[in-house]
Amino acid sequence: MKFTKTKINGCFIIKNNPKNDKRGSFTRNFCQNLYLKKNINFSVKQSNIFENIKKGTFRGFHYQKKPFTENKIINCVSGAIFNVVIDLRKNSKSFKKMLVQKISSKNKLSIYIPAGCANGFLTLENNTYIQYLMSDFFEKNKNSYSGIRFDDKIFRKIRWPIKPKIISKKDLSYSNF
């Protein structure tokens, strides 16, 4: 696993290195010891898989507010996504900066997203499966879980490769930043 710093403080792109043979491949997409060597203290409390049937499905921009913040690792198991991370930490040097990254089952990239950042993704292929590893448990308290509209004018620099076609009512109900 190779960790690359990004313009968002504490956010990393991780290049996973599959081992291939005649049977297929094996990819380690999380190793706590390797994260600790990079001074990232992450232990998995919850894992979620998003099944996205249609190309053009948008999910996000989701985040949890204090005191229920969580770090995330995102992996694309099949298909491809256009992923956007937005730093919402007011005291961060990278406040309001965005990281845009294509993640796919072919490029074998993962993203480590620190607490206080919102994340959203748009599927680029049908039948895209995304795995989220979470450092904390999901808090159902409606005051702790929130999001930002995908078309918020503050973040108009985002150049979506395709127009989002499928968005949940909940994601459409979020306010602008």
Side-chain angles (χ1 to χ4, degrees):
M1 299 172 83
K2 181 182 175 193
F3 292 72
T4 303
K5 290 182 180 182
T6 69
K7 62 184 171 184
I8 294 181
N9 190 31
C11 184
F12 292 87
I13 302 292
I14 299 125
K15 174 69 175 156
N16 299 299
N17 298 313
K19 306 294 182 209
N20 299 298
D21 64 23
K22 64 183 178 182
R23 299 167 295 172
S25 69
F26 166 83
T27 304
R28 175 175 294 149
N29 65 7
F30 177 74
C31 178
Q32 191 170 34
N33 285 337
L34 293 176
Y35 276 76
L36 288 171
K37 284 181 182 178
K38 297 293 180 182
N39 294 316
I40 301 169
N41 188 7
F42 184 95
S43 57
V44 178
K45 298 276 175 52
Q46 188 171 311
S47 177
N48 305 312
I49 294 180
F50 292 90
E51 176 184 18
N52 304 279
I53 304 300
K54 297 287 184 186
K55 175 181 177 177
T57 299
F58 177 78
R59 294 183 187 254
F61 287 104
H62 301 148
Y63 63 98
Q64 292 224 131
K65 298 176 190 174
K66 289 183 180 181
F68 303 107
T69 58
E70 60 199 3
N71 303 306
K72 303 172 188 172
I73 299 171
I74 298 174
N75 300 293
C76 185
V77 178
S78 70
I81 60 172
F82 180 85
N83 197 83
V84 181
V85 179
I86 303 171
D87 190 346
L88 301 178
R89 301 168 293 178
K90 290 181 181 171
N91 295 328
S92 171
K93 292 178 186 176
S94 52
F95 178 59
K96 288 202 241 179
K97 286 192 179 175
M98 295 177 291
L99 171 68
V100 173
Q101 180 67 52
K102 181 180 178 185
I103 304 173
S104 72
S105 56
K106 291 180 181 143
N107 70 16
K108 307 289 189 219
L109 296 178
S110 299
I111 296 182
Y112 172 80
I113 303 167
C117 293
N119 191 71
F121 65 82
L122 178 66
T123 59
L124 302 175
E125 297 178 13
N126 290 335
N127 300 311
T128 295
Y129 288 77
I130 304 302
Q131 177 192 40
Y132 266 63
L133 301 176
M134 316 299 280
S135 67
D136 213 336
F137 300 105
F138 176 73
E139 176 56 47
K140 291 183 182 180
N141 177 334
K142 69 178 185 175
N143 295 322
S144 70
Y145 186 75
S146 194
I148 302 168
R149 286 186 59 88
F150 81 98
D151 57 356
D152 186 320
K153 296 204 182 326
I154 289 180
F155 305 110
R156 72 176 87 194
K157 292 180 185 176
I158 300 169
R159 300 285 181 238
W160 300 105
I162 59 174
K163 184 177 179 172
K165 298 174 189 165
I166 302 168
I167 305 171
S168 72
K169 288 180 184 178
K170 183 177 183 180
D171 285 351
L172 287 172
S173 73
Y174 289 132
S175 300
N176 288 329
F177 184 70

